[in-house]
Amino acid sequence: MPLPRPQVVCAALLARCAAALPGSMPLARPRLLGAALLAARCAADLPAFLAPDDDNMDYTEDPSQNYGEFFDSVVIPTREAMRRELGPTVVVGPTNASSLQCSADQLTVRILDADRKLVVVGGGPAGLSAAVYAARADLAPLIVARDGGQLEGTSLVDNYPGFDAGVDAVDLIQRLEKQAKRFGASQKTCGIERVDFTCRPFKVYCEDGETITSSAVVVATGASPRWLGVPGERELLSKGVHTCATCDGYFYRDRHAIVVGGGDTAMEQALFLARVAQRVTVVHRGATLRASKAMAARALRHPKILLLWNTRITRFVAGASGLLASVELEMGAEGSPPSATSLEVDGVFVAIGHTPNTELFEGLRKDEHGYIYTLPGSTVTSVAGVYAAGDVQDPVYRQAITSAGTGAMAAMDAERWLCENGC
C-alpha cells in the first residue's frame, strides 16, 4: 500500500481533531488545546500541499520530497507545540511542595464514588491487554465481555509476536485472561444492555440485571465483519472463508484465492494475496469500483489478479474434507437475466467492510461509520475518563497486535487520568 498523500494525512488529522473536540466540555484537559492547535495548523497549511492534478491516477512526483516538506512545515512544528502544551514542567522543592498537594474537589468525590476504578468493556486482545496493564498499576480492573471477540472466529494465529509456531486463537485469549487475572484483574461474562456516560461515576448495565459503576472506562468492544449472508458462509468460516488476508493469507501460498468486494480494503487484500497466492480473483457485484483510483489501478494492472464484474457469490460449497472447495456464482448486470456458474477455489476473503461495535456508547464522538474518535497519538475520547482501544477506533489496521498495543495505551491513559483526578 503506498503512503497516503500529505494532504490526506493532514485532512485525516484535521477531521479527527475537530470531531474529538466537544462544543462544551468542562472537564477538558490541556491536551485538547494541543488537538485544536494541530487542527488549526493543518487547516492553514493544507492548501499548499494540494496538487493541481489530484484527479490523475498516475502520480509521477517524488513522494519523498513532498513528505519532507510536509514534515518540516507542519508535522514537526505542530508536534513540538503540542508537546509544550501537553507537558508543562513544574519545579518542585521544599518551598512549594505543600502548595502542589491535591484537594478533594467535587469531581474527585464523584469519581471515587464508584464500585470500580476501571471497567474494561470487551474481552479481545485490546481489552485484555488493557486489563493486564491496569492490573499491574494496581487498578484492579473488571473485564466485562460476552466473549473473546473476532479472534475466536479464527483458528491459528501465525503473526502474533512471540509464538514462532503460531498459536491457537482461543488459547491466546485464554492466556491473556490468565495473565490479567494473575495481576489482580477480575472478569464478568455477560452481555451489556447499555452504558451511561452522562454522569459520574459511569454506569455499565449488564443483561443479568447488575449495574456496575466505574471511575473510568476502556471501550474495547471491537468490530464485526460484514457478511454476504449466503449459504455455507458461516459454516466454512476459518475452513476456507476468511475476512483478513494479512492474518490468514499465508495459508494460501501457491493456491487460488478469491477476494469479495470493490473498495480499498478489497484491493489491498487482493494485492497482499497476489504476493503469495498463485492467482487471485476479485469478485465484485457492481460495474465500477469504490476503491481509490491509485488502489484500483494497482490491482487492475497486476498480472496475478483477475476481476469479475457484476458477479455475486450465491453459495459456498465444501469438499469431501469439509473445507471450502468451490463457490457458486451469478453473473450479469443489474436488470439483466443472470447466468449461473461455479468456480473452484481454495480460500475466499470477504472484504466488504466492518461495523464497529459502538452502538451502546451514545455519548462519544464517532465518525459516519461509527468508529470512535480519539485524539491523535492517544486513546482519549470526547468524554474525560473514557478511552477507546482496538478496532472500535481503528478502521485501518485491525490486527490483534495493534489492538493489544492500543489496549496498553488505554490503560496507561486511564491510570494517568485517575492519578490526576482521583487523589
Side-chain angles (χ1 to χ4, degrees), residues 48-119:
F49 290 94
L50 291 174
D53 60 342
D54 199 48
D55 290 335
N56 187 356
M57 184 184 299
D58 300 316
Y59 299 119
T60 57
E61 70 269 19
D62 181 4
S64 62
Q65 182 178 358
N66 278 353
Y67 259 71
E69 295 173 1
F70 180 67
F71 268 70
D72 288 341
S73 62
V74 178
V75 176
I76 296 174
T78 304
R79 288 291 293 270
E80 289 299 310
M82 288 183 67
R83 181 182 60 79
R84 291 191 297 271
E85 289 284 344
L86 303 181
T89 58
V90 177
V91 178
V92 180
T95 59
N96 67 343
S98 61
S99 66
L100 295 174
Q101 293 177 356
C102 298
S103 60
D105 57 16
Q106 186 179 3
L107 171 60
T108 298
V109 171
R110 294 202 309 270
I111 289 174
L112 294 181
D113 186 23
D115 301 329
R116 298 276 179 170
K117 292 182 180 178
L118 179 67
V119 166

Side-chain angles (χ1 to χ4, degrees), residues 14-355:
L14 174 60
R16 276 197 171 273
C17 291
L21 285 168
S24 175
M25 183 175 177
L27 302 178
R29 306 298 302 165
R31 68 182 64 198
L32 292 180
L33 301 176
L37 179 63
L38 174 63
R41 183 60 188 262
C42 280
D45 288 354
L46 179 60
F49 290 94
L50 291 174
D53 60 342
D54 199 48
D55 290 335
N56 187 356
M57 184 184 299
D58 300 316
Y59 299 119
T60 57
E61 70 269 19
D62 181 4
S64 62
Q65 182 178 358
N66 278 353
Y67 259 71
E69 295 173 1
F70 180 67
F71 268 70
D72 288 341
S73 62
V74 178
V75 176
I76 296 174
T78 304
R79 288 291 293 270
E80 289 299 310
M82 288 183 67
R83 181 182 60 79
R84 291 191 297 271
E85 289 284 344
L86 303 181
T89 58
V90 177
V91 178
V92 180
T95 59
N96 67 343
S98 61
S99 66
L100 295 174
Q101 293 177 356
C102 298
S103 60
D105 57 16
Q106 186 179 3
L107 171 60
T108 298
V109 171
R110 294 202 309 270
I111 289 174
L112 294 181
D113 186 23
D115 301 329
R116 298 276 179 170
K117 292 182 180 178
L118 179 67
V119 166
V120 178
V121 183
L128 294 174
S129 295
V132 169
Y133 272 73
R136 284 177 58 85
D138 201 29
L139 297 181
L142 173 65
I143 307 161
V144 181
R146 188 195 300 274
D147 51 43
Q150 281 191 74
L151 209 58
E152 288 191 345
T154 187
S155 52
L156 188 68
V157 179
D158 253 344
N159 58 355
Y160 200 91
F163 298 94
D164 58 331
V167 60
D168 179 78
V170 176
D171 183 41
L172 177 59
I173 291 295
Q174 291 175 346
R175 290 190 187 197
L176 288 169
E177 289 174 351
K178 290 178 182 177
Q179 187 178 13
K181 291 176 181 178
R182 179 162 68 93
F183 295 115
S186 54
Q187 187 169 14
K188 178 178 177 61
T189 302
C190 75
I192 297 175
E193 194 172 78
R194 65 189 180 95
V195 178
D196 185 2
F197 291 147
T198 60
C199 62
R200 299 174 190 276
F202 302 131
K203 296 181 180 66
V204 177
Y205 297 87
C206 296
E207 290 178 349
D208 61 6
E210 182 180 0
T211 300
I212 304 164
T213 60
S214 181
S215 303
V217 173
V218 171
V219 178
T221 46
S224 300
R226 297 174 190 157
W227 299 102
L228 298 174
V230 301
E233 185 176 40
R234 292 302 182 100
E235 293 82 357
L236 291 172
L237 181 62
S238 296
K239 299 178 181 178
V241 178
H242 310 272
T243 60
C244 176
T246 306
C247 311
D248 302 320
Y250 193 80
F251 300 136
Y252 298 95
R253 176 174 285 277
D254 298 325
R255 303 169 78 183
H256 178 210
I258 284 177
V259 175
V260 183
D264 275 341
T265 299
M267 298 305 106
E268 288 172 8
Q269 297 213 21
L271 289 163
F272 180 90
L273 287 166
R275 302 176 193 166
V276 295
Q278 183 183 62
R279 60 192 177 101
V280 178
T281 302
V282 175
V283 173
H284 180 45
R285 64 182 179 179
T288 58
L289 295 175
R290 300 185 310 277
S292 65
K293 291 183 178 181
M295 291 301 299
R298 289 184 62 201
L300 290 169
R301 292 169 180 167
H302 201 290
K304 284 188 178 181
I305 297 176
L306 171 67
L307 202 149
L308 299 180
W309 304 93
N310 299 311
T311 303
R312 295 161 294 282
I313 293 179
T314 58
R315 181 182 294 272
F316 294 88
V317 181
S321 64
L323 303 178
L324 177 69
S326 64
V327 292
E328 294 180 2
L329 304 173
E330 277 188 356
M331 308 180 72
E334 186 176 351
S336 62
S339 59
T341 185
S342 64
L343 182 64
E344 292 184 356
V345 65
D346 298 298
V348 173
F349 293 82
V350 181
I352 56 176
H354 286 72
T355 301

